[in-house]
Amino acid sequence: MATMTIAGVRPAGQLVDAYVLYDDGTASHMQVLEGQEPRLARPGRFVTAEEYAARLQELHVQNAAYVAGLEAADEARHRADFEALVGLGVPEGSARRMAGFHDGQR
């Protein structure tokens, strides 16, 4: 691992990676001085890089599913607005623009 040096300052020690899984389900990667275990700001435990990577992957999958749900709800709302406008007699092109509904069309 490369370390940064500042002229006139002696390094305090070698930095190493530390990985934490917090009790609230979040994960953290930090660099600490070798041989020193930092105090955690909230309940959690130190884990291996592999455990950290696995949890990070889980969080990415959960986030992707959450975003997909938001996008689906947004699409349904746009479609409902579009259909309501068309039902009121607004021309389809105008209704699409007003509702922000594209359904694969631009």
Side-chain angles (χ1 to χ4, degrees), residues 19-21 45 47-58:
Y19 304 94
V20 180
L21 295 183
R45 62 187 174 87
V47 296
T48 65
E50 292 77 18
E51 289 175 286
Y52 169 79
R55 179 60 184 147
L56 203 59
Q57 181 60 31
E58 290 173 2

Side-chain angles (χ1 to χ4, degrees), residues 27-73:
S28 178
H29 168 231
M30 62 183 83
Q31 290 191 319
V32 298
L33 290 176
E34 189 171 32
Q36 296 185 12
E37 187 171 298
R39 291 179 22 171
L40 299 177
R42 58 187 193 271
R45 62 187 174 87
F46 290 94
V47 296
T48 65
E50 292 77 18
E51 289 175 286
Y52 169 79
R55 179 60 184 147
L56 203 59
Q57 181 60 31
E58 290 173 2
L59 291 170
H60 286 299
V61 169
Q62 289 173 4
N63 186 62
Y66 177 73
V67 168
L70 291 176
E71 290 173 341

